[in-house]
Amino acid sequence: MTPTDRRAALRVGAGLVAGGAFAAACSTSGSSAGPSSGASPGSSSGSASTAVPRDAGRASGPPPAASPSAVPAARAYPGQPAQITHGPLDRPRVALTFHGQGEPALAEALLGEAERHGARVTVLAVGTWLDEHPGLARRVLDGGHDLGNHTHRHLDINAMSEAEARSEITECAVRLERLTGSAGTWFRPSRTARASPLVQRLARDAGYPHVLSYDVDSLDFTSPGAPAVTANVLRTIRAGSVVSLHFGYADTLAALPAVLDELARRRLRAVTTTELLS
């Protein structure tokens, strides 16, 4: 991407930030930034309603369900722990994983930027986000990316009762199944970096042998600016790393070209989590 292209991407993202509210984020402390569909009560927006149509990215009519064989489902990886934080350290691959919420225009821009660099990513979608923008499920898969489950309402799943936590996992799985023919390739808990033993068990009961965590946190949901997001990723990334990023933040969009350029310089290839572990 040329300097002119990067400035243009930053302007696009900045315009969306000025015009719209963005997704609540996950962190090890369970903090969030910005509201979202299904965000917990009390989340602050700090912005006016967006100019992007609410149904942007929505397919006209119900999207056709793919056959289960066409959409990868969750599977067990022998030798990997129940809660995965990174892949093999001896292969020049990394996985960029995105918490799937926020404005469709930013999601589309991030996917497009990754694809222009030849990168494939993993999107962990929130169920209420899929309700509002069902066409994005197929957009993710058509781009060659992984699609997984990030709970239905993006609340603090570790703090829930067993029944509530089970519902959060299964409700999102039902939506993924309806839209794509599969309950998704991965499960990531919401508002936390690590799932409790209870949530791990419930995820396994729902058909996800592993919980997908990460070893690199971009902290992009704190909106620290694109240079800080870039530095947060590149400071600790290594072969096998799984990186936590988010849709819905202009800083992430603006940082992505520099991150991908530097990964290429280091000869680290951004792949789906499935490919990272295969």
Side-chain angles (χ1 to χ4, degrees):
M1 175 176 274
T2 67
T4 300
D5 291 336
R6 292 183 185 178
R7 287 194 296 271
L10 183 56
R11 285 197 298 271
V12 169
L16 285 167
V17 167
F22 297 104
C26 293
S27 72
T28 55
S29 63
S31 61
S32 65
S36 63
S37 308
S40 60
S43 297
S44 59
S45 66
S47 60
S49 61
T50 179
V52 178
R54 194 168 170 78
D55 62 350
R58 184 187 296 274
S60 57
S67 64
S69 61
V71 181
R75 66 183 178 90
Y77 290 84
Q80 290 292 338
Q83 192 148 212
I84 293 173
T85 57
H86 63 79
L89 305 180
D90 59 349
R91 301 177 191 168
R93 302 173 180 175
V94 297
L96 304 181
T97 66
F98 289 84
H99 303 231
Q101 250 183 323
E103 294 300 332
L106 270 178
E108 291 273 9
L110 280 161
L111 292 170
E113 190 61 47
E115 289 157 10
R116 280 190 289 275
H117 280 77
R120 295 295 177 263
V121 304
T122 300
V123 178
L124 293 314
V126 174
T128 54
W129 187 68
L130 293 173
D131 284 343
E132 293 185 354
H133 314 294
L136 285 175
R138 179 52 56 186
R139 167 66 183 90
V140 169
L141 293 171
D142 286 349
H145 311 288
D146 273 356
L147 181 64
N149 180 332
H150 195 33
T151 76
H152 182 53
R153 295 176 295 162
H154 198 265
L155 305 178
D156 184 356
I157 194 167
N158 280 348
M160 292 179 179
S161 69
E162 179 171 348
E164 290 172 327
R166 186 186 301 278
S167 177
E168 282 294 303
I169 298 169
T170 58
E171 284 295 309
C172 186
V174 164
R175 281 152 177 78
L176 287 165
E177 180 82 34
R178 185 171 64 236
L179 291 169
T180 71
S182 164
T185 312
W186 298 99
F187 168 74
R188 173 170 287 169
S190 50
R191 305 272 181 140
T192 180
R194 305 287 186 271
S196 68
L198 170 63
V199 171
Q200 289 184 54
R201 175 171 63 79
L202 295 176
R204 189 166 57 249
D205 290 348
Y208 304 98
H210 304 279
V211 169
L212 180 60
S213 184
Y214 46 87
D215 63 339
V216 177
D217 193 345
S218 70
L219 298 175
D220 56 351
F221 62 89
T222 65
S223 297
V229 173
T230 302
N232 290 340
V233 173
L234 297 177
R235 185 182 301 115
T236 55
I237 199 168
R238 56 179 176 165
S241 279
V242 176
V243 184
S244 172
L245 295 150
H246 293 75
F247 284 170
Y249 293 88
D251 288 350
T252 312
L253 174 59
L256 191 58
V259 168
L260 292 171
D261 285 345
E262 178 60 16
L263 291 180
R265 191 189 71 78
R266 298 183 191 182
R267 300 184 184 279
L268 292 173
R269 190 158 61 96
V271 299
T272 64
T273 307
T274 298
E275 186 174 359
L276 181 74
L277 295 169
S278 296

